[in-house]
Amino acid sequence: TIEEREREFQEKIDSGQKIEPKEWMPDEYRRQLIRMIGQHAHSEIVGMLPEGNWITRAPSLRRKAVLLAKVQDEAGHGLYLYSAAETLGIDRQTMINQLITGKAKYSSIFNYPTTSWADMGAIGWLVDGAAIVNQTMLARGSYGPYSRAMVRICKEESFHNRQGYEIIYQLANGSEAQKKMAQDSLNRWWGPSMQMLGPSDADSTNSAVTMNWKIKVESNDTVRQRFIDRTVPQAHAAGLTIPDPDLKYNEETEHWEIGEIDWDEFYKVIKGYGPCNAKRMKARNEAEEQGKWVREAAAAYANKKSKKQEK
Ligand code: 3HC
């Protein structure tokens, strides 16, 4: 019976077994994974836009080469994650259509403008830093293809994170103007990076389900706290100030405590009203349109080749 199947499935999850694509799984487990992996893939693809903006403006050939490598990695992460989502029975074009029609979400963090070179540092340091903390948690998740994808992606994220912190650290220890640029960037990116790890546990609508089935093995607040504890000392080591007057270190718990997160801003951004949502959607729709002839030509060539092989 369905109850027996669900009980068996829960026992597998509780015993820490990985679930593989061909195994039976509850529809809601499948839906939650398609939702999270699809949005993760969309985030990687949209995330290339704010950084791509600075490839032609990088201050040196080395910085250009490193940024180019990072943006190419993000494209690879996106394609890798679309493939992981396809193991659940959804096809890539369906996911792409959901993104470009605004039906599917992507990370709130990518709806902000990158107005200075220091933002390339802040994104690598804070955004990829938060992503690493979150993804090392997801790598312990119950769905085989996703957890394995996380292991591979985290290796590249560490390079992204180090190069970002190096940019910020050098600016913060450079001229007065450079230090000001680094502090201004931290001021603009700190709040959104707090929001990026999702609503607080009390307000998270999916966490109860995703944690019961170990899709997510730790809560949004736990991951956020780990990210904060790791990042505040890095800001101080670079001589930068965290833009939060309520920040304080709790000797008892040995955690850094932050002030209120601006959830109104978060929900505004994920509803599509952030500073760059329209720009990101326009870019993704244009890419889909302008890339159509390339996909059709490649498909036509592949068909011709396979017909020749059949003869
Ligand atoms: N941006 C956009 N939407 C968000 C969000 C965010 N930062 N945080 C939450 N949401 C959405 C959720 O998708 C959900 O909406 P839905 O039900 O319509 O999908 C709603 O807000 C309620 O939030 P929940 O807490 O219930 O959502 P989750 O449990 O899914 O937690 C999450 C949010 C932590 C982002 C989780 O989805 C997750 O870990 N996703 C996989 C990782 C991922 O997508 N990371 C995005 C960044 S990728 C990146 O930074 C790449 C790096 O290389 C630059």
Side-chain angles (χ1 to χ4, degrees), residues 114-172:
T114 46
T115 53
S116 84
W117 170 253
D119 289 358
M120 292 307 102
I123 287 180
W125 174 37
L126 300 175
V127 176
D128 289 72
I132 290 174
V133 177
N134 192 39
Q135 288 162 183
T136 38
M137 177 275 288
L138 293 170
R140 291 158 35 211
S142 58
Y143 185 57
Y146 193 30
S147 64
R148 292 189 291 271
M150 287 300 99
V151 173
R152 160 114 182 252
I153 286 176
C154 283
K155 289 194 178 80
E156 292 175 337
E157 297 284 17
S158 310
F159 144 62
H160 300 170
N161 180 237
R162 295 308 310 159
Q163 63 84 40
Y165 187 63
E166 185 197 36
I167 292 174
I168 281 286
Y169 191 88
Q170 276 191 328
L171 289 171

Side-chain angles (χ1 to χ4, degrees), residues 181-231:
M181 187 162 67
Q183 184 61 59
D184 161 61
S185 188
L186 176 54
N187 295 346
R188 284 182 288 110
W189 288 94
W190 176 257
S193 61
M194 291 295 105
Q195 297 162 24
M196 161 185 174
L197 290 164
S200 64
D201 296 355
D203 303 328
S204 173
T205 45
N206 298 291
S207 291
V209 170
T210 50
M211 288 187 75
N212 172 50
W213 279 326
K214 293 186 187 168
I215 292 173
K216 175 190 288 212
V217 293
E218 286 178 298
S219 76
N220 296 353
D221 287 338
T222 304
V223 170
R224 192 175 359 255
Q225 184 61 59
R226 187 172 303 133
F227 170 61
I228 292 166
D229 289 341
R230 193 183 104 147
T231 308

